[in-house]
């Protein structure tokens, strides 16, 4: 079968990159090429932004319930094609098939949820302080949105950005991660088939660096919605800040599971194994730290090592596989580089720590599920995002120390606590400096109807998903209508015994 050629989608047409250059999309389980991809550059970005700007007026005036109908149709298609999309996702970025189905389902859920906003988008109508005067607020689209996404949730994360942007009347230039162009193409095809007018959504494929800078600083882009690493996020935030663009960043995490001495240790173990090694540890919410009370640490570590040893590495398409490959050879080297870093700082590898160099696994980008012990809170493995199947166990002597250690990193995305003590659970919920908190569940598993995002260096104060998403993709407009037929001066003494406002 011929290798598919993935192209840009600009102004309703599938087109080559202006340079005609391409790059390869690889299966991380085998290293095989699964597609060739347009390598876009500045001129492609210019065309995509111009197309989005041209489409903006008609789209913002298109009735929002009708926009919602297009999104519903897209959701229906995703549902119908769920298995096919999941299999392509596993081939493209390696996560095991059951998790790939979950990723597609999250995209479907988000699409349906946001489609409903076509008939809501509530503003306020409030009493005015002067007679015969009307006061209300409505949402307006921001304009052209640059949606820049990572590879770890290749369908779900793009829907978190594109769907709310569209329902609010924005047009979009979508720049997906270079490791997952195939799923990006599929999402755009689905929205095209659902009836999205030309120019409303444009796709530009290619490497982040130059292309990304060009997109982010383009005068025709009003809002940048970015999910990815903190380094790239801070670079984008700097450019956007200088140009006074709207910028929403969802960035890295160093999430932790706290296990207190009254916890159900076996339940905690299930949560740790799933949160640390699911998606090969490449979730922004992955549990890369376990903060264990000294009273249970020995038991917990012993059982965790046993569970990690049993996890089967392999292609995500095999039903027997527990842990798939990491996304690329460079990511594999990066993850693995943390093993000597940990050992040099005094940590011990309790299990894993190797790259399989023989047999079928040697062809792909696999790393053994790894548990590090003797870890101190200030070590690099306890502070830096590793983004691979590696978790570090830190021992503490109680809830106070657990919360202190939890909050000791620069990130603040997700955390969890296992305890049967309701007082400790509530203290934790209050004092954890993270955007997401779980009690007696792992650090992963967010639902799309609540806000998603983090505190501190995990972002810049915005949230995705839930109703919070609407705040990112719209501007508030406050409207006053005076139907008194005379000049009424608000915020002044009106001379009629009325109040004096500020
Ligand atoms: P990167 O920051 O490397 O890349 C993210 C996206 O940005 C990619 O599309 C990339 O393109 C693009 N990009 C790179 N450089 C630039 C630039 N100068 N201007 C504009 N765009 C650019 O992150 P990863 O893809 O490696 O994703 C992993 C990271 O994402 C982790 O840190 C993880 O924690 C975080 N993440 C956060 C989530 C959250 O909600 N908080 C959710 C999921 C992931 P290209 O691929 O071509 O390099």
């Amino acid at each position: 079968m011929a290798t598919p050629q993935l192209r840009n989608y600009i102004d309703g047409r599938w087109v080559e990159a202006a340079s005609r250059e391409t790059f390869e999309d690889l299966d991380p389980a085998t290293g095989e090429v699964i597609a060739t991809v347009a390598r876009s550059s500045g001129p492609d970005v210019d065309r995509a932004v111009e197309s989005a700007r041209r489409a903006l007026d008609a789209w913002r005036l298109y009735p929002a319930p009708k926009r919602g109908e297009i999104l519903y149709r897209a959701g229906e298609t995703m549902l119908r094609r769920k298995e096919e999309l999941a299999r392509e996702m596993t081939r493209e970025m390696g996560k095991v098939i059951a998790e790939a189905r979950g990723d597609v389902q999250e995209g479907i859920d988000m699409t349906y949820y946001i489609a409903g906003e076509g008939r809501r988008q509530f503003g306020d109508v409030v009493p005015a302080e002067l007679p015969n005067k009307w006061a209300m607020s409505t949402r307006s689209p921001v304009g052209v949105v640059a949606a820049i996404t990572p590879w770890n949730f290749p369908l779900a994360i793009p829907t978190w950005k594109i769907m709310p942007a569209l329902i609010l009347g924005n047009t979009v230039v979508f720049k997906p991660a270079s490791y997952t162009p195939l799923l990006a193409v599929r999402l755009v095809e689905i929205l095209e088939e659902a009836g999205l007018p030309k120019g409303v959504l444009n796709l530009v494929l290619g490497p982040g660096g130059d292309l990304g800078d060009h997109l982010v600083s383009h005068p025709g882009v009003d809002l940048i919605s970015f999910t990815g690493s903190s380094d790239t996020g801070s670079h984008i935030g700097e450019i956007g800040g200088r140009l006074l663009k709207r910028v929403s960043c969802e960035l890295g995490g160093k999430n932790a599971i706290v296990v207190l001495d009254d916890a159900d240790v076996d339940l905690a173990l299930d949560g740790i194994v799933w949160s640390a090694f699911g998606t090969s540890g490449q979730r922004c919410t992955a549990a890369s730290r376990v903060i264990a009370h000294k009273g249970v640490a020995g038991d917990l570590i012993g059982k965790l090592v046993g569970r990690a040893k049993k996890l089967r590495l392999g292609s995500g398409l095999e039903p027997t596989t527990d842990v798939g490959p990491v996304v690329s050879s460079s990511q594999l080297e990066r993850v693995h580089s943390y093993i000597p870093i940990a050992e040099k700082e005094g940590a011990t590898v309790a299990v894993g720590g190797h790259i399989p160099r023989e047999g079928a696994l040697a062809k792909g980008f696999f790393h053994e599920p790894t548990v590090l012990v003797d870890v101190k809170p200030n070590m690099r493995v306890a502070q830096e995002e590793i983004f691979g199947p590696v978790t570090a166990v830190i021992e503490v002597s109680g809830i106070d120390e657990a919360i202190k250690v939890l909050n000791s990193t620069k990130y603040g995305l997700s955390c969890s606590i296992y305890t049967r003590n309701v007082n400790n659970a509530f203290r934790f919920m209050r004092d954890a400096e993270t955007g997401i908190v779980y009690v007696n569940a792992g650090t992963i598993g967010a639902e799309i109807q609540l806000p998603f995002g983090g505190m501190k260096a995990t972002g810049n104060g915005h949230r995705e998903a839930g109703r919070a998403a609407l705040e990112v993709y719209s501007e508030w407009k406050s409207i006053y209508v005076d139907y008194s037929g005379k000049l009424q001066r608000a915020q002044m003494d009106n001379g009629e015994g009325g109040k004096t406002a500020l």
Side-chain angles (χ1 to χ4, degrees):
M1 203 171 70
T3 313
Q5 314 227 318
L6 306 179
R7 293 176 294 170
N8 293 331
Y9 183 71
I10 298 176
D11 204 19
R13 289 190 312 123
W14 293 96
V15 292
E16 308 284 346
S19 67
R20 308 262 156 190
E21 287 180 27
T22 58
F23 65 99
E24 291 176 338
D25 186 11
L26 302 184
D27 177 343
T30 60
E32 283 166 21
V33 177
I34 61 169
T36 56
V37 188
R39 181 187 283 275
S40 310
S41 53
D44 304 289
V45 169
D46 292 343
R47 280 177 211 157
V49 175
E50 281 158 23
S51 157
R53 285 229 82 82
R54 271 196 305 276
L56 183 58
D57 243 4
W59 183 243
R60 86 181 161 82
L61 297 175
Y62 196 77
K66 294 278 170 205
R67 291 185 220 135
E69 285 171 21
I70 295 174
L71 265 52
Y72 275 125
R73 284 200 290 276
E76 297 284 283
T77 310
M78 281 185 228
L79 190 58
R80 204 176 57 245
R81 291 175 56 182
K82 182 171 170 181
E83 188 59 23
E84 170 204 337
L85 292 167
R87 296 188 80 78
E88 287 191 327
M89 187 183 299
T90 295
R91 277 207 76 200
E92 188 171 45
M93 56 71 67
K95 67 170 74 171
V96 297
I97 186 73
E99 290 187 49
R101 290 185 192 115
D103 189 321
V104 179
Q105 187 58 48
E106 198 166 308
I108 296 167
D109 294 343
M110 187 67 190
T111 302
Y112 284 156
Y113 175 79
I114 286 293
E117 286 300 331
R119 291 188 185 271
R120 285 190 293 267
Q121 299 184 26
F122 302 129
D124 291 324
V125 179
V126 294
E129 65 184 38
L130 293 168
N132 299 320
K133 187 179 172 194
W134 186 265
M136 65 184 176
S137 61
T138 63
R139 291 184 187 274
S140 296
V142 180
V144 171
V145 175
I148 304 174
T149 57
W151 42 264
N152 62 340
F153 278 82
L155 193 80
I157 292 181
T159 66
W160 290 9
K161 298 184 185 305
I162 292 170
M163 301 309 177
L166 293 179
I167 203 71
L168 287 153
N170 303 280
T171 56
V172 177
V173 176
F174 173 25
K175 154 49 197 129
S178 294
Y179 291 130
T180 50
L182 179 58
L183 263 289
V185 164
R186 294 294 180 249
L187 179 59
V188 174
E189 285 171 352
I190 286 167
L191 278 157
E192 179 188 36
E193 186 190 315
L196 201 65
K198 68 172 190 171
V200 171
L201 173 62
N202 304 273
L203 174 70
V204 185
L205 303 168
D210 290 348
L211 184 162
D213 281 356
H214 195 81
L215 176 60
V216 167
S217 53
H218 198 294
V221 169
D222 303 291
L223 161 65
I224 302 137
S225 176
F226 171 79
T227 300
S229 61
S230 293
D231 285 349
T232 312
S234 112
H235 172 72
I236 287 176
E238 208 176 309
I239 299 175
R242 206 172 341 107
L243 299 172
L244 291 181
K245 291 176 188 284
R246 310 290 179 263
V247 182
S248 162
C249 287
E250 289 299 336
L251 310 172
K254 187 70 188 172
N255 316 291
I257 294 182
V258 170
V259 186
L260 295 186
D261 56 353
D262 62 357
D264 176 339
V265 170
D266 291 323
L267 183 67
L269 267 173
D270 287 343
I272 294 167
V273 170
W274 172 226
S275 304
F277 304 127
T279 320
S280 308
Q282 303 170 113
R283 290 189 183 220
C284 48
T285 49
S288 58
R289 292 182 295 160
V290 175
I291 301 173
H293 191 289
K294 285 192 164 72
V296 286
D299 184 27
L300 187 77
I301 291 169
K303 287 178 169 166
L304 181 57
V305 166
R307 292 280 294 270
K309 264 189 198 150
K310 285 201 191 119
L311 294 172
R312 280 158 306 197
L313 280 173
S315 159
L317 291 172
E318 295 296 330
T320 49
T321 295
D322 297 307
V323 179
V326 298
V327 75
S328 65
S329 60
S330 59
Q331 185 66 13
L332 180 61
E333 294 309 327
R334 197 180 154 276
V335 170
H336 194 58
S337 72
Y338 276 95
I339 305 300
I341 289 171
E343 288 175 327
K344 209 165 152 207
E345 287 189 306
T348 310
V349 177
V351 65
H354 301 104
I355 296 176
R357 304 278 185 198
E358 283 170 11
L361 294 181
K363 289 194 195 139
F365 314 131
F366 292 92
H367 197 279
E368 287 177 355
T370 301
V371 177
L372 302 172
V373 296
D374 303 324
V375 176
K376 300 289 170 251
N378 58 350
M379 289 181 180
R380 286 184 59 190
V381 283
Q383 290 288 328
E384 297 175 16
E385 185 177 46
I386 299 176
F387 227 54
V390 178
T391 197
V393 184
I394 304 164
E395 297 186 30
V396 293
S397 38
I399 179 77
D400 292 328
E401 193 183 351
I403 292 174
K404 198 164 154 222
V405 170
L406 167 74
N407 291 338
S408 71
T409 74
K410 66 177 181 173
Y411 297 110
L413 183 53
S414 181
C415 67
S416 101
I417 187 164
Y418 281 85
T419 180
R420 292 176 171 121
N421 179 320
V422 71
N423 296 350
N424 283 338
F426 270 84
R427 273 200 56 200
F428 187 82
M429 283 150 59
R430 185 192 62 196
D431 294 340
E433 294 170 355
T434 59
I436 304 168
V437 178
Y438 292 89
V439 177
N440 292 326
T443 51
I444 64 180
E447 301 187 24
I448 56 88
Q449 62 275 27
L450 280 183
F452 183 97
M455 298 179 181
K456 304 195 287 190
T458 290
N460 61 347
H462 297 281
R463 293 290 184 270
E464 303 217 272
R467 271 188 298 146
L470 303 183
E471 302 304 331
V472 173
Y473 299 96
S474 62
E475 299 267 15
W476 280 112
K477 192 180 278 183
S478 298
I479 301 176
Y480 302 95
V481 182
D482 189 323
Y483 56 98
S484 69
K486 59 183 182 189
L487 174 66
Q488 300 199 88
R489 290 178 296 179
Q491 302 182 331
M492 301 275 284
D493 183 342
N494 63 17
E496 293 168 5
K499 69 179 268 291
T500 302
L502 290 174

